Amino acid sequence: MKKSELPIEQSYFFHGHYRLAYETHGPEHGDVIVLVHGILLDAHCNRGIAAALAEHGYRVILLDLLGHGRSDKPTKASEHRVDFYAEQVLGLMDHLHLERAILGGVSLGAITSLTAACIAPHRVKALFLEMPVMENAAPAAALMLVPLMLSVHFVKPLYRLFGKLLRRLPDSDKAVYNSLRNALSAEPEVIRAILHGVLVGPIVPTQRRRRHVAPPTLVIGHAHDPLHDMADAKSLKRQLPKAEFIAARSMLELRTKPERLMPRILDFMNRVSARTEFSGNSELTLEREAANG
């Protein structure tokens, strides 16, 4: 199927009293993968990955977390916590009547998916965790995100003008750049609330909880980025019972030059799907044998 022919549908659902946006790529009956964006970004940053997976028969759902993209944007920091974001992923699955799905994402999306797996392990078929933000990254996260949070708070008029100019820029053919533009052009109150809420809330499940995450997992890390420390990604691979690891060459490789990484990601997804199908067929066979005595 050619990219231009891939079905894409933009929709909304209500989680509590907030309206959240999502978009669907790929065939209606494909194996479902739910992907979540990084902090302040939106579904655009995962569109290239979604298109590649959809071309191979997967149904890919891209969620805009609360405060991001086309979703509602409350300005209370208390509404923006990673565990609340994980509940939104599970709420999307409920809305779509999905008992289980492959969950994944980049950065904030990775730890949101990991948290969802800790909350409801029976709902997760597999995990795809790109550039997870873990304990080693906490000092870097504070050093990088707190100044931004303070800047948008104390220079609101100037930042609003900056955002207005950014919104006038035309769309790029690279969806990740559109996502970055949308992030930087958001209202300063929303940016401050998201950063404040994520930083003061629980950022990542404890190591004790992580060691009980049983689904097959693919972890992608890269070097030379203190916010997404390679040591964290490798440590997470060791902690999860069924994890595999891939080293990316840069934080943008998968979105700008995916030729090396995408075949390995597809191999993982295909193995997970085949394993699940085999398991399901085996259970069905056992049920029939039991029924026949």
Side-chain angles (χ1 to χ4, degrees):
M1 183 180 290
K2 296 178 181 179
K3 285 186 178 182
S4 59
E5 298 173 349
L6 292 175
I8 301 174
E9 177 186 353
Q10 292 187 328
S11 307
Y12 295 91
F13 74 104
F14 278 90
H15 183 76
H17 55 280
Y18 290 119
R19 192 174 76 153
L20 302 181
Y22 67 95
E23 57 185 52
T24 304
H25 300 244
E28 181 178 354
H29 300 294
D31 212 8
V32 179
I33 303 172
V34 178
L35 295 181
V36 185
H37 51 79
I39 193 166
L40 300 179
L41 301 174
D42 57 18
H44 282 78
C45 79
N46 285 322
R47 279 188 175 178
I49 303 170
L53 292 169
E55 283 186 322
H56 286 80
Y58 291 94
R59 182 185 178 202
V60 187
I61 315 294
L62 305 183
L63 173 64
D64 282 338
L65 296 172
L66 188 67
H68 300 75
R70 296 180 296 116
S71 293
D72 285 348
K73 296 177 173 59
T75 56
K76 292 183 179 180
S78 58
E79 300 287 357
H80 300 282
R81 292 166 41 124
V82 173
D83 50 350
F84 292 174
Y85 289 157
E87 291 172 2
Q88 292 164 28
V89 173
L90 298 172
L92 172 63
M93 292 178 63
D94 291 339
H95 168 73
L96 296 173
H97 306 291
L98 299 174
E99 292 186 8
R100 300 177 72 216
I102 300 171
L103 302 185
V106 56
S107 190
L108 173 65
I111 58 175
T112 295
S113 298
L114 179 61
T115 302
C118 289
I119 295 174
H122 60 289
R123 307 290 301 274
V124 182
K125 187 180 298 183
L127 288 167
F128 168 59
L129 308 178
E130 181 190 359
M131 303 191 309
V133 181
M134 311 288 285
E135 288 86 355
N136 287 336
L143 288 173
M144 296 172 66
L145 300 181
V146 170
L148 176 59
M149 181 178 68
L150 295 176
S151 297
V152 298
H153 178 68
F154 288 109
V155 291
K156 291 179 186 178
L158 183 61
Y159 197 88
R160 280 200 176 89
L161 176 61
F162 172 68
K164 186 177 181 180
L165 293 174
L166 280 180
R167 285 191 289 272
R168 292 180 178 176
L169 295 176
D171 284 347
S172 167
D173 59 350
K174 296 290 187 181
V176 64
Y177 296 128
N178 296 330
S179 185
L180 182 59
R181 178 202 59 194
N182 295 343
L184 294 176
S185 62
E187 290 297 318
E189 293 87 354
V190 176
I191 294 176
R192 187 190 68 82
I194 292 172
L195 296 177
H196 186 187
V198 169
L199 286 172
V200 301
I203 295 178
V204 66
T206 64
Q207 290 190 28
R208 180 182 62 81
R209 296 187 70 186
R210 297 199 295 260
R211 294 184 187 280
H212 293 282
V213 175
T217 302
L218 180 62
V219 180
I220 297 181
H222 66 271
H224 314 302
D225 176 4
L227 185 58
H228 308 98
D229 196 293
M230 176 74 88
D232 274 339
K234 290 183 175 180
S235 176
L236 182 61
K237 185 267 178 187
R238 292 191 297 269
Q239 293 165 5
L240 302 183
K242 300 177 183 177
E244 304 173 26
F245 179 81
I246 299 176
R249 290 169 179 158
S250 73
M251 65 185 301
L252 290 176
E253 181 183 3
L254 183 55
R255 285 162 181 79
T256 58
K257 297 180 179 180
E259 296 81 9
R260 185 180 71 92
L261 296 176
M262 188 53 66
R264 301 178 69 179
I265 294 170
L266 283 166
D267 174 67
F268 172 79
M269 297 296 181
N270 292 339
R271 283 187 283 114
V272 168
S273 297
R275 183 185 300 120
T276 303
E277 182 179 355
F278 175 79
S279 175
N281 290 340
S282 298
E283 291 172 2
L284 182 58
T285 300
L286 290 173
E287 289 176 1
R288 289 174 175 170
E289 289 177 352
N292 293 330

